Amino acid sequence: MACVTSPHCPDSSWRARQTAGISLKGLLALDFPGAEVHVSRAQRLLLGGFIAALIGAACHNPVTSNSQTSILTAAAAAFDSAPAGYSNLTSSFGATSNAPFQPPFGPQGMGGGPPPLAGPGPMGGGHGLMCGGLGGPFLGDGLAVGFGPGPFGRGGPPQAFGACTFSSTTGVVTCPPISIGGLTITRTAIYVDTAGNHQAAPDSITASITTNVNVSGTITRRDSSTSTVTEASTQRVTGLGPGSTARTINGTSSGTESTSGTSSQGSFTSDRAVGDTTNGLVIPTPVPGTPDYPTAGTTIRAATVTLTLAGGTPTTSSRREVVTYTGSNTATVVITQDGATKTCTLPLPHGQLSCQ
């Protein structure tokens, strides 16, 4: 989450039908039986498209020719980064770049780079996890509350982004839109104190913070490639009041990025859909001399990309990561990419991902 408070085909047709029958709330809560998931109207629209993209990826026929395999490798490179503008959201993704996806057709030819099932490489910024890896708080950096780039916000409260207004009727703090490089960012927040009263700004007795962030617009690269994005996130943090021993985070994010441009292999189009759900993530209140990595909770991260070269057929790749915190200094990570699954461990804080 980018600020705190702030989810093949011998039998895949059956799986697609089953997925199509799951409601949006059901999909988000699939790995959390009994969990209550709150989804805004904007996120329903975004996640609806996200689900449809994942269903399409689930029934994509495996590629067979060398050229198609090379394109799949290039498509999978989209998992190395998050969509343009995504760093403004509250999410588990650690990517901070606002650059749209560009197929990495290298000197080896189409899709020059790691094999398609390798995913984000261990030498990259993601350390084996997609979209820039996990944000700092998910690795043991503790919790910083507020708006701003990064998993839990490093930019302070929303007032830092302009003359925000507080409604005593709704209890919502609304900040004016911000335009950056063709993207428009809107933010709202709800601050509640230990007595249950709404606040115009967080202070020492703030008990919970809920934020909503929306990003939309079009980015044009220097090579004239254009990307249109629509993204949203919702996040709620509780346990912030005096004397609290832990903070609990729940939230979702989702976004789509559609790009058209020209690469070394000719013109192309790409469509990316990315999202995550964090449920019951517990981060202990900082105590000198003790680590403050998450001790409970689960984060599900999913992405799909469809890459099409001029005159060619669409090639789709999908990836899903489930990170589970068990209270020990090692998190469990299950990664599924294009039908292949591997189970990994992630030492905390800031360890190196190790997969079987």
Side-chain angles (χ1 to χ4, degrees):
M1 309 182 174
C3 269
V4 132
T5 80
S6 25
H8 258 280
C9 197
D11 217 302
S12 59
S13 59
W14 174 88
R15 183 176 298 181
R17 289 195 300 271
Q18 295 296 311
T19 305
I22 299 175
S23 66
L24 177 56
K25 279 193 174 185
L27 181 62
L28 288 175
L30 197 57
D31 290 82
F32 312 118
E36 182 178 1
V37 179
H38 300 282
V39 185
S40 67
R41 180 177 181 276
Q43 284 192 283
R44 288 178 185 274
L45 295 175
L46 285 171
L47 287 170
F50 178 51
I51 293 168
L54 288 179
I55 293 172
C59 280
H60 183 73
N61 290 328
V63 294
T64 56
S65 71
N66 291 334
S67 62
Q68 286 177 308
T69 301
S70 297
I71 296 175
L72 181 60
T73 302
F79 303 137
D80 289 343
S81 63
Y86 214 88
S87 61
N88 294 285
L89 302 182
T90 58
S91 79
S92 64
F93 301 117
T96 58
S97 170
N98 283 318
F101 172 58
Q102 179 78 6
F105 297 123
Q108 298 99 320
M110 291 199 300
L117 293 183
M123 299 307 291
H127 298 287
L129 295 173
M130 66 179 171
C131 298
L134 289 167
F138 292 83
L139 295 171
D141 286 352
L143 179 63
V145 176
F147 279 126
F152 291 103
R154 295 185 286 274
Q159 284 77 3
F161 288 81
C164 303
T165 59
F166 170 68
S167 170
S168 58
T169 302
T170 64
V172 176
V173 175
T174 302
C175 299
I178 301 170
S179 294
I180 303 175
L183 301 180
T184 299
I185 306 162
T186 60
R187 296 173 168 89
T188 64
I190 299 176
Y191 306 111
V192 179
D193 65 19
T194 53
N197 301 312
H198 289 100
Q199 301 175 288
D203 58 24
S204 61
I205 62 170
T206 298
S208 70
I209 301 178
T210 301
T211 59
N212 289 277
V213 183
N214 289 271
V215 180
S216 62
T218 300
I219 291 178
T220 301
R221 294 167 52 100
R222 284 179 291 181
D223 62 6
S224 298
S225 296
T226 60
S227 299
T228 299
V229 302
T230 305
E231 302 160 346
S233 66
T234 296
Q235 188 179 82
R236 185 168 187 261
V237 183
T238 58
L240 298 173
S244 175
T245 59
R247 290 80 181 271
T248 301
I249 298 94
N250 292 277
T252 63
S253 76
S254 61
T256 60
E257 174 195 271
S258 297
T259 300
S260 60
T262 302
S263 71
S264 62
Q265 300 299 316
S267 60
F268 74 92
T269 61
S270 69
D271 293 284
R272 284 200 288 178
V274 173
D276 72 348
T277 297
T278 293
N279 186 277
L281 188 77
V282 177
I283 298 180
T285 302
V287 175
T290 63
D292 49 2
Y293 50 75
T295 57
T298 301
T299 295
I300 300 176
R301 300 143 53 89
T304 184
V305 57
T306 297
L307 174 63
T308 307
L309 295 179
T313 58
T315 297
T316 298
S317 182
S318 62
R319 182 177 174 99
R320 187 174 190 262
E321 301 171 349
V322 180
V323 184
T324 304
Y325 300 91
T326 62
S328 70
N329 62 352
T330 302
T332 299
V333 183
V334 178
I335 301 173
T336 301
Q337 183 166 333
D338 298 325
T341 298
K342 55 186 177 183
T343 300
C344 313
T345 55
L346 179 65
L348 300 170
H350 290 280
Q352 183 70 47
L353 190 70
S354 175
C355 300
Q356 298 176 356

